[in-house]
Amino acid sequence: ELARASGNRVLLIIMNSINDLLQESRYLPYYIPDAPKRAWDRHAEILHAFEAKNPQAARQAMIEHLKDVESDLEASKVRVLDKSAPRER
């Protein structure tokens, strides 16, 4: 919805195009402690900046969120391969 609300048609097309790929990877961070809460908090930061019409803050919050996601996805690959690792919920 944020892509649609941004009014950026290119972003909307890209997000719609990769949505299936994103769906497949969304469960992986649940193997990382605190990842779901961190993602929720980052999404709230992005939304608040967007609502405040502060593109610079929204951009920075999105960059930080993407860094977190990248880190969590890398860490989750290791934990998924280690079958003995407990799954966080």
Side-chain angles (χ1 to χ4, degrees):
E1 294 303 313
L2 190 58
R4 185 180 332 282
S6 75
N8 184 330
R9 291 183 51 170
V10 174
L11 176 61
L12 185 58
I13 290 167
I14 291 169
M15 292 304 295
N16 285 337
S17 298
I18 64 171
N19 193 42
D20 289 341
L21 295 172
L22 292 173
Q23 288 288 24
E24 293 174 13
S25 66
R26 283 191 177 127
Y27 77 93
L28 290 175
Y30 285 94
Y31 286 92
I32 305 301
D34 298 324
K37 182 184 182 319
R38 190 171 42 255
W40 182 266
D41 292 345
R42 291 289 189 197
H43 286 171
E45 289 174 17
I46 295 164
L47 180 61
H48 291 143
F50 189 80
E51 289 174 336
K53 298 185 184 333
N54 186 339
Q56 199 168 20
R59 182 179 297 114
Q60 187 59 43
M62 188 60 162
I63 288 169
E64 295 304 319
H65 173 53
L66 292 175
K67 287 179 183 177
D68 289 345
V69 169
E70 180 180 33
S71 175
D72 290 343
L73 286 173
E74 286 301 316
S76 68
K77 287 181 197 174
V78 172
R79 291 182 65 92
V80 167
L81 294 175
D82 178 6
K83 301 294 185 201
S84 65
R87 184 171 180 191
E88 296 290 325
R89 288 193 185 242

